[in-house]
Structure formats: C-alpha cells, structure tokens
Amino acid sequence: MRHTISVLVENEFGVLSRVAGLFSGRGFNIESLSVAETADPTISRMTIVTVGNDQIIEQILKQLNKLIPVIKVVDFSGTDTVDREMIMVKVNAENETRTEVLRLVDIFRGKIVDVAPRSYTIEMTGDEAKVDAFLALLRPVGIKDIVRTGKIAIARG
C-alpha cells in the first residue's frame, strides 16, 4: 500500500542525504520526494511517498523518528489531507492536434507555458488521479517529455 509521509526536519546541510540513506540502506523505495523550507526558515518539510505493508511502514516511521535532524514524522495514510502534484508536459502540437490539446488544457485547468512551432509545454496541478487522467488523454497526441514534482500533502483543518 502507498503511504504519504510528512517529515519535518532541521533545515541544514546533509539532512536530505541522511533521510534518503535511511531508505536505501534498508531497501525501502522512495516513489516521490519533495522538500522545501517551511514558514520557519530553520525547518524544512519533506513529503515522501513510499510503498510497503504496515510492518514496513512502522519500521520506516520508527527509523525516521530516530534520526537527529528529524523533528516530527506523520503518516498521512487514512487521515484527511489535501495533496497535489505539479507536472510540466511537452506535447506534439501539429495543426490537426492543436485544438484538441487546447481543449484538454482548458478542461483540466492547465496552462500553456511555452509555445513552439510544433509543440506546447503545459503546466498542470492536481491530485494524482487528475494528473494521471490528463496524461492518459494527452498520450494519443504524442507526449515528448514529462516532469513531475512528486506529491506534496498537508493535513486538513
């Protein structure tokens, strides 16, 4: 089962390496990882998406809590959260497909951020299901490249 884990850490050199090393050293995979400074510039928030059964996730949470630069660890699975992911996707934009691409961008509330003679670069934000649905509809047009930020999440309320 996929889990989204929020980790508050000291904003200092080497913390990302230590957290990533914890996962790789124990054979756990990180599906996505987003890190940025919080409202307090001395603290950063890592949003980590990983896969594992309850026993593996419990082990990950315990190991993360033992790391010195870690302040707080929260597993968002089963809790009420808001999550988003941003993508930038470059697609073919030939004369016969331009209208379809523009229609999809409008429906999914995306934005064209670059136009070239034969391609569009589109920015879109949403939850994972929305992003995946958008990409599935763009595939027949011809996706040239994709960049995804990975999930970020915050508890509701």
Side-chain angles (χ1 to χ4, degrees):
M1 182 177 161
R2 294 179 91 194
H3 288 259
T4 302
I5 301 169
S6 174
V7 185
L8 288 177
V9 297
E10 299 288 334
N11 187 7
E12 59 187 38
F13 177 79
V15 173
L16 176 59
S17 174
R18 293 173 76 180
V19 171
L22 181 149
F23 277 79
S24 67
R26 287 158 180 83
F28 304 136
N29 187 35
I30 295 175
E31 288 197 352
S32 78
L33 171 66
S34 297
V35 184
E37 187 177 285
T38 63
D40 179 351
T42 65
I43 298 172
S44 291
R45 179 183 309 273
M46 295 182 175
T47 305
I48 302 169
V49 177
T50 190
V51 176
N53 60 31
D54 290 345
Q55 184 180 12
I56 289 172
I57 298 303
E58 183 179 333
Q59 187 179 3
I60 289 171
L61 297 176
K62 284 181 179 175
Q63 295 294 321
L64 283 171
N65 277 309
K66 286 182 184 176
L67 286 179
I68 296 300
V70 171
I71 299 166
K72 184 177 180 182
V73 179
V74 177
D75 181 4
F76 281 145
S77 301
T79 63
D80 201 13
T81 60
V82 177
D83 62 73
R84 295 290 182 267
E85 182 176 359
M86 186 178 104
I87 63 165
M88 289 200 306
V89 56
K90 187 180 297 182
V91 297
N92 290 324
E94 305 294 337
N95 286 337
E96 59 274 5
T97 60
R98 284 182 179 263
T99 303
E100 176 64 9
V101 171
L102 292 173
R103 190 177 68 82
L104 290 172
V105 168
D106 186 47
I107 290 169
F108 282 85
R109 298 183 186 158
K111 186 166 55 171
I112 306 272
V113 293
D114 187 49
V115 176
R118 302 176 79 169
S119 68
Y120 287 143
T121 300
I122 304 158
E123 168 191 309
M124 203 274 287
T125 303
D127 62 23
E128 186 177 2
K130 179 181 174 184
V131 169
D132 289 343
F134 182 61
L135 291 174
L137 291 170
L138 283 177
R139 278 202 175 80
V141 174
I143 294 174
K144 293 181 164 190
D145 204 0
I146 301 172
V147 180
R148 296 177 84 144
T149 61
K151 185 187 285 188
I152 57 171
I154 192 165
R156 287 188 183 266

PDB file of all heavy atoms in Angstrom, residues 35-75:
ATOM      1  N   VAL A  35      10.889  18.427  -1.117  1.00  0.00           N
ATOM      2  CA  VAL A  35      11.457  19.077   0.067  1.00  0.00           C
ATOM      3  C   VAL A  35      11.455  20.577  -0.153  1.00  0.00           C
ATOM      4  O   VAL A  35      11.828  21.057  -1.221  1.00  0.00           O
ATOM      5  CB  VAL A  35      12.917  18.630   0.308  1.00  0.00           C
ATOM      6  CG1 VAL A  35      13.445  19.243   1.597  1.00  0.00           C
ATOM      7  CG2 VAL A  35      13.051  17.134   0.323  1.00  0.00           C
ATOM      8  N   ALA A  36      11.038  21.308   0.863  1.00  0.00           N
ATOM      9  CA  ALA A  36      11.112  22.770   0.806  1.00  0.00           C
ATOM     10  C   ALA A  36      11.060  23.335   2.220  1.00  0.00           C
ATOM     11  O   ALA A  36      10.594  22.679   3.158  1.00  0.00           O
ATOM     12  CB  ALA A  36       9.980  23.333  -0.023  1.00  0.00           C
ATOM     13  N   GLU A  37      11.534  24.546   2.319  1.00  0.00           N
ATOM     14  CA  GLU A  37      11.534  25.273   3.575  1.00  0.00           C
ATOM     15  C   GLU A  37      10.088  25.551   4.004  1.00  0.00           C
ATOM     16  O   GLU A  37       9.222  25.770   3.176  1.00  0.00           O
ATOM     17  CB  GLU A  37      12.284  26.585   3.300  1.00  0.00           C
ATOM     18  CG  GLU A  37      12.575  27.440   4.456  1.00  0.00           C
ATOM     19  CD  GLU A  37      13.376  28.658   3.994  1.00  0.00           C
ATOM     20  OE1 GLU A  37      14.576  28.514   3.706  1.00  0.00           O
ATOM     21  OE2 GLU A  37      12.785  29.747   3.912  1.00  0.00           O
ATOM     22  N   THR A  38       9.830  25.558   5.304  1.00  0.00           N
ATOM     23  CA  THR A  38       8.505  25.898   5.829  1.00  0.00           C
ATOM     24  C   THR A  38       8.446  27.398   6.116  1.00  0.00           C
ATOM     25  O   THR A  38       9.348  28.146   5.739  1.00  0.00           O
ATOM     26  CB  THR A  38       8.228  25.119   7.131  1.00  0.00           C
ATOM     27  OG1 THR A  38       9.186  25.525   8.111  1.00  0.00           O
ATOM     28  CG2 THR A  38       8.293  23.622   6.913  1.00  0.00           C
ATOM     29  N   ALA A  39       7.401  27.835   6.819  1.00  0.00           N
ATOM     30  CA  ALA A  39       7.297  29.248   7.214  1.00  0.00           C
ATOM     31  C   ALA A  39       8.454  29.636   8.123  1.00  0.00           C
ATOM     32  O   ALA A  39       8.863  30.797   8.158  1.00  0.00           O
ATOM     33  CB  ALA A  39       5.971  29.498   7.907  1.00  0.00           C
ATOM     34  N   ASP A  40       8.986  28.682   8.857  1.00  0.00           N
ATOM     35  CA  ASP A  40      10.182  28.884   9.682  1.00  0.00           C
ATOM     36  C   ASP A  40      11.395  28.454   8.846  1.00  0.00           C
ATOM     37  O   ASP A  40      11.545  27.277   8.534  1.00  0.00           O
ATOM     38  CB  ASP A  40      10.079  28.029  10.945  1.00  0.00           C
ATOM     39  CG  ASP A  40      11.297  28.152  11.844  1.00  0.00           C
ATOM     40  OD1 ASP A  40      12.316  28.762  11.432  1.00  0.00           O
ATOM     41  OD2 ASP A  40      11.235  27.623  12.966  1.00  0.00           O
ATOM     42  N   PRO A  41      12.273  29.393   8.479  1.00  0.00           N
ATOM     43  CA  PRO A  41      13.391  29.046   7.595  1.00  0.00           C
ATOM     44  C   PRO A  41      14.398  28.055   8.181  1.00  0.00           C
ATOM     45  O   PRO A  41      15.232  27.533   7.450  1.00  0.00           O
ATOM     46  CB  PRO A  41      14.052  30.392   7.306  1.00  0.00           C
ATOM     47  CG  PRO A  41      13.548  31.329   8.328  1.00  0.00           C
ATOM     48  CD  PRO A  41      12.256  30.797   8.830  1.00  0.00           C
ATOM     49  N   THR A  42      14.291  27.749   9.459  1.00  0.00           N
ATOM     50  CA  THR A  42      15.207  26.766  10.049  1.00  0.00           C
ATOM     51  C   THR A  42      14.656  25.341   9.938  1.00  0.00           C
ATOM     52  O   THR A  42      15.328  24.393  10.323  1.00  0.00           O
ATOM     53  CB  THR A  42      15.486  27.082  11.533  1.00  0.00           C
ATOM     54  OG1 THR A  42      14.273  26.942  12.286  1.00  0.00           O
ATOM     55  CG2 THR A  42      16.044  28.493  11.699  1.00  0.00           C
ATOM     56  N   ILE A  43      13.425  25.219   9.432  1.00  0.00           N
ATOM     57  CA  ILE A  43      12.766  23.909   9.334  1.00  0.00           C
ATOM     58  C   ILE A  43      12.309  23.671   7.895  1.00  0.00           C
ATOM     59  O   ILE A  43      11.777  24.562   7.251  1.00  0.00           O
ATOM     60  CB  ILE A  43      11.555  23.828  10.285  1.00  0.00           C
ATOM     61  CG1 ILE A  43      12.026  23.989  11.739  1.00  0.00           C
ATOM     62  CG2 ILE A  43      10.792  22.520  10.104  1.00  0.00           C
ATOM     63  CD1 ILE A  43      10.910  24.106  12.743  1.00  0.00           C
ATOM     64  N   SER A  44      12.522  22.450   7.408  1.00  0.00           N
ATOM     65  CA  SER A  44      12.038  22.039   6.087  1.00  0.00           C
ATOM     66  C   SER A  44      11.041  20.899   6.248  1.00  0.00           C
ATOM     67  O   SER A  44      11.088  20.158   7.230  1.00  0.00           O
ATOM     68  CB  SER A  44      13.196  21.548   5.206  1.00  0.00           C
ATOM     69  OG  SER A  44      14.033  22.609   4.846  1.00  0.00           O
ATOM     70  N   ARG A  45      10.158  20.794   5.271  1.00  0.00           N
ATOM     71  CA  ARG A  45       9.201  19.682   5.252  1.00  0.00           C
ATOM     72  C   ARG A  45       9.525  18.789   4.067  1.00  0.00           C
ATOM     73  O   ARG A  45       9.646  19.254   2.933  1.00  0.00           O
ATOM     74  CB  ARG A  45       7.772  20.181   5.130  1.00  0.00           C
ATOM     75  CG  ARG A  45       6.741  19.039   5.090  1.00  0.00           C
ATOM     76  CD  ARG A  45       5.317  19.535   4.884  1.00  0.00           C
ATOM     77  NE  ARG A  45       4.950  20.573   5.810  1.00  0.00           N
ATOM     78  CZ  ARG A  45       4.440  20.363   7.036  1.00  0.00           C
ATOM     79  NH1 ARG A  45       4.252  19.132   7.451  1.00  0.00           N
ATOM     80  NH2 ARG A  45       4.126  21.371   7.813  1.00  0.00           N
ATOM     81  N   MET A  46       9.644  17.503   4.333  1.00  0.00           N
ATOM     82  CA  MET A  46       9.814  16.506   3.285  1.00  0.00           C
ATOM     83  C   MET A  46       8.487  15.761   3.155  1.00  0.00           C
ATOM     84  O   MET A  46       7.910  15.359   4.157  1.00  0.00           O
ATOM     85  CB  MET A  46      10.887  15.480   3.649  1.00  0.00           C
ATOM     86  CG  MET A  46      12.254  16.022   3.775  1.00  0.00           C
ATOM     87  SD  MET A  46      13.387  14.669   4.162  1.00  0.00           S
ATOM     88  CE  MET A  46      14.922  15.567   4.110  1.00  0.00           C
ATOM     89  N   THR A  47       8.023  15.602   1.934  1.00  0.00           N
ATOM     90  CA  THR A  47       6.863  14.758   1.680  1.00  0.00           C
ATOM     91  C   THR A  47       7.375  13.560   0.891  1.00  0.00           C
ATOM     92  O   THR A  47       7.874  13.710  -0.222  1.00  0.00           O
ATOM     93  CB  THR A  47       5.775  15.511   0.894  1.00  0.00           C
ATOM     94  OG1 THR A  47       5.446  16.702   1.590  1.00  0.00           O
ATOM     95  CG2 THR A  47       4.535  14.641   0.724  1.00  0.00           C
ATOM     96  N   ILE A  48       7.276  12.403   1.518  1.00  0.00           N
ATOM     97  CA  ILE A  48       7.828  11.182   0.936  1.00  0.00           C
ATOM     98  C   ILE A  48       6.680  10.224   0.638  1.00  0.00           C
ATOM     99  O   ILE A  48       5.849   9.957   1.503  1.00  0.00           O
ATOM    100  CB  ILE A  48       8.817  10.505   1.911  1.00  0.00           C
ATOM    101  CG1 ILE A  48       9.951  11.467   2.273  1.00  0.00           C
ATOM    102  CG2 ILE A  48       9.355   9.199   1.329  1.00  0.00           C
ATOM    103  CD1 ILE A  48      10.812  10.988   3.427  1.00  0.00           C
ATOM    104  N   VAL A  49       6.654   9.698  -0.587  1.00  0.00           N
ATOM    105  CA  VAL A  49       5.678   8.662  -0.942  1.00  0.00           C
ATOM    106  C   VAL A  49       6.455   7.363  -1.080  1.00  0.00           C
ATOM    107  O   VAL A  49       7.456   7.290  -1.804  1.00  0.00           O
ATOM    108  CB  VAL A  49       4.937   8.994  -2.246  1.00  0.00           C
ATOM    109  CG1 VAL A  49       3.981   7.859  -2.622  1.00  0.00           C
ATOM    110  CG2 VAL A  49       4.191  10.313  -2.119  1.00  0.00           C
ATOM    111  N   THR A  50       6.010   6.348  -0.344  1.00  0.00           N
ATOM    112  CA  THR A  50       6.674   5.049  -0.377  1.00  0.00           C
ATOM    113  C   THR A  50       5.621   3.950  -0.351  1.00  0.00           C
ATOM    114  O   THR A  50       4.451   4.206  -0.089  1.00  0.00           O
ATOM    115  CB  THR A  50       7.660   4.915   0.799  1.00  0.00           C
ATOM    116  OG1 THR A  50       8.458   3.732   0.618  1.00  0.00           O
ATOM    117  CG2 THR A  50       6.945   4.859   2.131  1.00  0.00           C
ATOM    118  N   VAL A  51       6.067   2.747  -0.616  1.00  0.00           N
ATOM    119  CA  VAL A  51       5.170   1.592  -0.655  1.00  0.00           C
ATOM    120  C   VAL A  51       5.641   0.565   0.365  1.00  0.00           C
ATOM    121  O   VAL A  51       6.844   0.336   0.503  1.00  0.00           O
ATOM    122  CB  VAL A  51       5.163   0.948  -2.061  1.00  0.00           C
ATOM    123  CG1 VAL A  51       4.315  -0.310  -2.081  1.00  0.00           C
ATOM    124  CG2 VAL A  51       4.679   1.929  -3.098  1.00  0.00           C
ATOM    125  N   GLY A  52       4.682  -0.037   1.057  1.00  0.00           N
ATOM    126  CA  GLY A  52       5.030  -1.092   1.999  1.00  0.00           C
ATOM    127  C   GLY A  52       3.817  -1.534   2.793  1.00  0.00           C
ATOM    128  O   GLY A  52       2.825  -0.815   2.867  1.00  0.00           O
ATOM    129  N   ASN A  53       3.949  -2.699   3.398  1.00  0.00           N
ATOM    130  CA  ASN A  53       2.865  -3.168   4.272  1.00  0.00           C
ATOM    131  C   ASN A  53       2.985  -2.443   5.615  1.00  0.00           C
ATOM    132  O   ASN A  53       3.908  -1.667   5.839  1.00  0.00           O
ATOM    133  CB  ASN A  53       2.897  -4.690   4.432  1.00  0.00           C
ATOM    134  CG  ASN A  53       4.204  -5.179   5.036  1.00  0.00           C
ATOM    135  OD1 ASN A  53       4.835  -4.476   5.834  1.00  0.00           O
ATOM    136  ND2 ASN A  53       4.622  -6.376   4.660  1.00  0.00           N
ATOM    137  N   ASP A  54       2.040  -2.699   6.506  1.00  0.00           N
ATOM    138  CA  ASP A  54       2.013  -1.982   7.786  1.00  0.00           C
ATOM    139  C   ASP A  54       3.305  -2.156   8.582  1.00  0.00           C
ATOM    140  O   ASP A  54       3.782  -1.220   9.223  1.00  0.00           O
ATOM    141  CB  ASP A  54       0.821  -2.457   8.621  1.00  0.00           C
ATOM    142  CG  ASP A  54      -0.509  -1.992   8.039  1.00  0.00           C
ATOM    143  OD1 ASP A  54      -0.497  -1.076   7.180  1.00  0.00           O
ATOM    144  OD2 ASP A  54      -1.550  -2.546   8.436  1.00  0.00           O
ATOM    145  N   GLN A  55       3.877  -3.360   8.534  1.00  0.00           N
ATOM    146  CA  GLN A  55       5.104  -3.636   9.284  1.00  0.00           C
ATOM    147  C   GLN A  55       6.274  -2.800   8.736  1.00  0.00           C
ATOM    148  O   GLN A  55       7.052  -2.222   9.499  1.00  0.00           O
ATOM    149  CB  GLN A  55       5.427  -5.122   9.204  1.00  0.00           C
ATOM    150  CG  GLN A  55       6.623  -5.537  10.026  1.00  0.00           C
ATOM    151  CD  GLN A  55       6.901  -7.032   9.903  1.00  0.00           C
ATOM    152  OE1 GLN A  55       6.351  -7.720   9.054  1.00  0.00           O
ATOM    153  NE2 GLN A  55       7.778  -7.516  10.760  1.00  0.00           N
ATOM    154  N   ILE A  56       6.390  -2.731   7.413  1.00  0.00           N
ATOM    155  CA  ILE A  56       7.480  -1.956   6.797  1.00  0.00           C
ATOM    156  C   ILE A  56       7.304  -0.467   7.089  1.00  0.00           C
ATOM    157  O   ILE A  56       8.264   0.225   7.450  1.00  0.00           O
ATOM    158  CB  ILE A  56       7.532  -2.215   5.275  1.00  0.00           C
ATOM    159  CG1 ILE A  56       8.040  -3.638   5.019  1.00  0.00           C
ATOM    160  CG2 ILE A  56       8.405  -1.191   4.563  1.00  0.00           C
ATOM    161  CD1 ILE A  56       7.961  -4.086   3.570  1.00  0.00           C
ATOM    162  N   ILE A  57       6.092   0.027   6.968  1.00  0.00           N
ATOM    163  CA  ILE A  57       5.849   1.457   7.221  1.00  0.00           C
ATOM    164  C   ILE A  57       6.136   1.790   8.682  1.00  0.00           C
ATOM    165  O   ILE A  57       6.740   2.823   8.983  1.00  0.00           O
ATOM    166  CB  ILE A  57       4.399   1.841   6.828  1.00  0.00           C
ATOM    167  CG1 ILE A  57       4.183   1.617   5.329  1.00  0.00           C
ATOM    168  CG2 ILE A  57       4.094   3.277   7.216  1.00  0.00           C
ATOM    169  CD1 ILE A  57       5.129   2.360   4.403  1.00  0.00           C
ATOM    170  N   GLU A  58       5.749   0.909   9.591  1.00  0.00           N
ATOM    171  CA  GLU A  58       6.034   1.141  11.009  1.00  0.00           C
ATOM    172  C   GLU A  58       7.541   1.206  11.243  1.00  0.00           C
ATOM    173  O   GLU A  58       8.034   2.062  11.985  1.00  0.00           O
ATOM    174  CB  GLU A  58       5.417   0.026  11.857  1.00  0.00           C
ATOM    175  CG  GLU A  58       5.601   0.243  13.348  1.00  0.00           C
ATOM    176  CD  GLU A  58       4.965  -0.872  14.179  1.00  0.00           C
ATOM    177  OE1 GLU A  58       3.997  -1.493  13.718  1.00  0.00           O
ATOM    178  OE2 GLU A  58       5.473  -1.105  15.286  1.00  0.00           O
ATOM    179  N   GLN A  59       8.279   0.337  10.578  1.00  0.00           N
ATOM    180  CA  GLN A  59       9.737   0.343  10.694  1.00  0.00           C
ATOM    181  C   GLN A  59      10.326   1.645  10.140  1.00  0.00           C
ATOM    182  O   GLN A  59      11.213   2.245  10.742  1.00  0.00           O
ATOM    183  CB  GLN A  59      10.321  -0.859   9.957  1.00  0.00           C
ATOM    184  CG  GLN A  59      11.803  -1.025  10.154  1.00  0.00           C
ATOM    185  CD  GLN A  59      12.344  -2.247   9.418  1.00  0.00           C
ATOM    186  OE1 GLN A  59      11.632  -2.942   8.721  1.00  0.00           O
ATOM    187  NE2 GLN A  59      13.624  -2.487   9.590  1.00  0.00           N
ATOM    188  N   ILE A  60       9.809   2.093   8.991  1.00  0.00           N
ATOM    189  CA  ILE A  60      10.280   3.351   8.402  1.00  0.00           C
ATOM    190  C   ILE A  60      10.016   4.513   9.359  1.00  0.00           C
ATOM    191  O   ILE A  60      10.901   5.349   9.606  1.00  0.00           O
ATOM    192  CB  ILE A  60       9.584   3.606   7.034  1.00  0.00           C
ATOM    193  CG1 ILE A  60      10.109   2.620   5.979  1.00  0.00           C
ATOM    194  CG2 ILE A  60       9.787   5.050   6.579  1.00  0.00           C
ATOM    195  CD1 ILE A  60       9.337   2.641   4.669  1.00  0.00           C
ATOM    196  N   LEU A  61       8.804   4.568   9.919  1.00  0.00           N
ATOM    197  CA  LEU A  61       8.450   5.668  10.819  1.00  0.00           C
ATOM    198  C   LEU A  61       9.338   5.669  12.057  1.00  0.00           C
ATOM    199  O   LEU A  61       9.822   6.726  12.499  1.00  0.00           O
ATOM    200  CB  LEU A  61       6.974   5.587  11.212  1.00  0.00           C
ATOM    201  CG  LEU A  61       5.967   5.725  10.062  1.00  0.00           C
ATOM    202  CD1 LEU A  61       4.548   5.523  10.570  1.00  0.00           C
ATOM    203  CD2 LEU A  61       6.106   7.062   9.354  1.00  0.00           C
ATOM    204  N   LYS A  62       9.606   4.492  12.614  1.00  0.00           N
ATOM    205  CA  LYS A  62      10.475   4.409  13.795  1.00  0.00           C
ATOM    206  C   LYS A  62      11.895   4.851  13.467  1.00  0.00           C
ATOM    207  O   LYS A  62      12.523   5.578  14.230  1.00  0.00           O
ATOM    208  CB  LYS A  62      10.493   2.975  14.343  1.00  0.00           C
ATOM    209  CG  LYS A  62       9.237   2.601  15.098  1.00  0.00           C
ATOM    210  CD  LYS A  62       9.319   1.185  15.626  1.00  0.00           C
ATOM    211  CE  LYS A  62       8.061   0.829  16.399  1.00  0.00           C
ATOM    212  NZ  LYS A  62       8.046  -0.571  16.828  1.00  0.00           N
ATOM    213  N   GLN A  63      12.402   4.407  12.318  1.00  0.00           N
ATOM    214  CA  GLN A  63      13.771   4.782  11.934  1.00  0.00           C
ATOM    215  C   GLN A  63      13.877   6.285  11.671  1.00  0.00           C
ATOM    216  O   GLN A  63      14.866   6.913  12.031  1.00  0.00           O
ATOM    217  CB  GLN A  63      14.209   3.996  10.689  1.00  0.00           C
ATOM    218  CG  GLN A  63      14.332   2.505  10.915  1.00  0.00           C
ATOM    219  CD  GLN A  63      15.447   2.167  11.891  1.00  0.00           C
ATOM    220  OE1 GLN A  63      16.495   2.773  11.884  1.00  0.00           O
ATOM    221  NE2 GLN A  63      15.191   1.191  12.756  1.00  0.00           N
ATOM    222  N   LEU A  64      12.853   6.850  11.016  1.00  0.00           N
ATOM    223  CA  LEU A  64      12.871   8.299  10.764  1.00  0.00           C
ATOM    224  C   LEU A  64      12.868   9.068  12.085  1.00  0.00           C
ATOM    225  O   LEU A  64      13.590  10.059  12.238  1.00  0.00           O
ATOM    226  CB  LEU A  64      11.661   8.712   9.925  1.00  0.00           C
ATOM    227  CG  LEU A  64      11.731   8.397   8.437  1.00  0.00           C
ATOM    228  CD1 LEU A  64      10.376   8.650   7.764  1.00  0.00           C
ATOM    229  CD2 LEU A  64      12.811   9.232   7.749  1.00  0.00           C
ATOM    230  N   ASN A  65      12.056   8.625  13.044  1.00  0.00           N
ATOM    231  CA  ASN A  65      11.992   9.318  14.339  1.00  0.00           C
ATOM    232  C   ASN A  65      13.303   9.265  15.104  1.00  0.00           C
ATOM    233  O   ASN A  65      13.561  10.104  15.960  1.00  0.00           O
ATOM    234  CB  ASN A  65      10.856   8.753  15.197  1.00  0.00           C
ATOM    235  CG  ASN A  65       9.519   9.373  14.846  1.00  0.00           C
ATOM    236  OD1 ASN A  65       9.384  10.607  14.801  1.00  0.00           O
ATOM    237  ND2 ASN A  65       8.529   8.548  14.581  1.00  0.00           N
ATOM    238  N   LYS A  66      14.152   8.284  14.784  1.00  0.00           N
ATOM    239  CA  LYS A  66      15.445   8.160  15.479  1.00  0.00           C
ATOM    240  C   LYS A  66      16.501   9.106  14.915  1.00  0.00           C
ATOM    241  O   LYS A  66      17.497   9.376  15.565  1.00  0.00           O
ATOM    242  CB  LYS A  66      15.969   6.725  15.369  1.00  0.00           C
ATOM    243  CG  LYS A  66      15.237   5.737  16.239  1.00  0.00           C
ATOM    244  CD  LYS A  66      15.872   4.362  16.083  1.00  0.00           C
ATOM    245  CE  LYS A  66      15.114   3.315  16.859  1.00  0.00           C
ATOM    246  NZ  LYS A  66      15.662   1.968  16.642  1.00  0.00           N
ATOM    247  N   LEU A  67      16.310   9.590  13.681  1.00  0.00           N
ATOM    248  CA  LEU A  67      17.309  10.480  13.080  1.00  0.00           C
ATOM    249  C   LEU A  67      17.333  11.803  13.833  1.00  0.00           C
ATOM    250  O   LEU A  67      16.294  12.394  14.113  1.00  0.00           O
ATOM    251  CB  LEU A  67      16.997  10.732  11.602  1.00  0.00           C
ATOM    252  CG  LEU A  67      17.276   9.597  10.626  1.00  0.00           C
ATOM    253  CD1 LEU A  67      16.877  10.020   9.206  1.00  0.00           C
ATOM    254  CD2 LEU A  67      18.741   9.204  10.638  1.00  0.00           C
ATOM    255  N   ILE A  68      18.520  12.296  14.142  1.00  0.00           N
ATOM    256  CA  ILE A  68      18.682  13.507  14.939  1.00  0.00           C
ATOM    257  C   ILE A  68      18.063  14.751  14.280  1.00  0.00           C
ATOM    258  O   ILE A  68      17.363  15.487  14.961  1.00  0.00           O
ATOM    259  CB  ILE A  68      20.181  13.760  15.235  1.00  0.00           C
ATOM    260  CG1 ILE A  68      20.729  12.637  16.099  1.00  0.00           C
ATOM    261  CG2 ILE A  68      20.385  15.105  15.916  1.00  0.00           C
ATOM    262  CD1 ILE A  68      20.054  12.462  17.446  1.00  0.00           C
ATOM    263  N   PRO A  69      18.237  14.990  12.983  1.00  0.00           N
ATOM    264  CA  PRO A  69      17.653  16.232  12.446  1.00  0.00           C
ATOM    265  C   PRO A  69      16.151  16.178  12.227  1.00  0.00           C
ATOM    266  O   PRO A  69      15.547  17.165  11.825  1.00  0.00           O
ATOM    267  CB  PRO A  69      18.395  16.423  11.116  1.00  0.00           C
ATOM    268  CG  PRO A  69      18.794  15.049  10.713  1.00  0.00           C
ATOM    269  CD  PRO A  69      19.020  14.282  11.983  1.00  0.00           C
ATOM    270  N   VAL A  70      15.512  15.025  12.505  1.00  0.00           N
ATOM    271  CA  VAL A  70      14.070  14.889  12.301  1.00  0.00           C
ATOM    272  C   VAL A  70      13.329  15.430  13.524  1.00  0.00           C
ATOM    273  O   VAL A  70      13.615  15.061  14.658  1.00  0.00           O
ATOM    274  CB  VAL A  70      13.684  13.418  12.036  1.00  0.00           C
ATOM    275  CG1 VAL A  70      12.170  13.244  12.052  1.00  0.00           C
ATOM    276  CG2 VAL A  70      14.266  12.959  10.707  1.00  0.00           C
ATOM    277  N   ILE A  71      12.367  16.317  13.274  1.00  0.00           N
ATOM    278  CA  ILE A  71      11.585  16.940  14.348  1.00  0.00           C
ATOM    279  C   ILE A  71      10.260  16.212  14.543  1.00  0.00           C
ATOM    280  O   ILE A  71       9.848  15.948  15.670  1.00  0.00           O
ATOM    281  CB  ILE A  71      11.326  18.427  14.012  1.00  0.00           C
ATOM    282  CG1 ILE A  71      12.668  19.164  13.900  1.00  0.00           C
ATOM    283  CG2 ILE A  71      10.411  19.067  15.047  1.00  0.00           C
ATOM    284  CD1 ILE A  71      12.570  20.533  13.259  1.00  0.00           C
ATOM    285  N   LYS A  72       9.571  15.887  13.429  1.00  0.00           N
ATOM    286  CA  LYS A  72       8.255  15.252  13.528  1.00  0.00           C
ATOM    287  C   LYS A  72       7.995  14.414  12.280  1.00  0.00           C
ATOM    288  O   LYS A  72       8.326  14.836  11.173  1.00  0.00           O
ATOM    289  CB  LYS A  72       7.172  16.326  13.662  1.00  0.00           C
ATOM    290  CG  LYS A  72       5.780  15.806  13.877  1.00  0.00           C
ATOM    291  CD  LYS A  72       4.803  16.959  14.074  1.00  0.00           C
ATOM    292  CE  LYS A  72       3.396  16.426  14.299  1.00  0.00           C
ATOM    293  NZ  LYS A  72       2.434  17.522  14.447  1.00  0.00           N
ATOM    294  N   VAL A  73       7.374  13.253  12.471  1.00  0.00           N
ATOM    295  CA  VAL A  73       7.037  12.359  11.363  1.00  0.00           C
ATOM    296  C   VAL A  73       5.542  12.049  11.439  1.00  0.00           C
ATOM    297  O   VAL A  73       5.043  11.688  12.506  1.00  0.00           O
ATOM    298  CB  VAL A  73       7.838  11.036  11.438  1.00  0.00           C
ATOM    299  CG1 VAL A  73       7.453  10.111  10.287  1.00  0.00           C
ATOM    300  CG2 VAL A  73       9.325  11.304  11.451  1.00  0.00           C
ATOM    301  N   VAL A  74       4.837  12.218  10.307  1.00  0.00           N
ATOM    302  CA  VAL A  74       3.400  11.921  10.258  1.00  0.00           C
ATOM    303  C   VAL A  74       3.118  11.092   9.014  1.00  0.00           C
ATOM    304  O   VAL A  74       3.501  11.476   7.910  1.00  0.00           O
ATOM    305  CB  VAL A  74       2.565  13.217  10.216  1.00  0.00           C
ATOM    306  CG1 VAL A  74       1.086  12.891  10.090  1.00  0.00           C
ATOM    307  CG2 VAL A  74       2.831  14.078  11.429  1.00  0.00           C
ATOM    308  N   ASP A  75       2.451   9.951   9.194  1.00  0.00           N
ATOM    309  CA  ASP A  75       1.974   9.148   8.070  1.00  0.00           C
ATOM    310  C   ASP A  75       0.555   9.608   7.762  1.00  0.00           C
ATOM    311  O   ASP A  75      -0.342   9.470   8.585  1.00  0.00           O
ATOM    312  CB  ASP A  75       2.011   7.665   8.440  1.00  0.00           C
ATOM    313  CG  ASP A  75       1.546   6.771   7.295  1.00  0.00           C
ATOM    314  OD1 ASP A  75       1.274   7.287   6.193  1.00  0.00           O
ATOM    315  OD2 ASP A  75       1.468   5.557   7.523  1.00  0.00           O
TER     316      ASP A  75
END
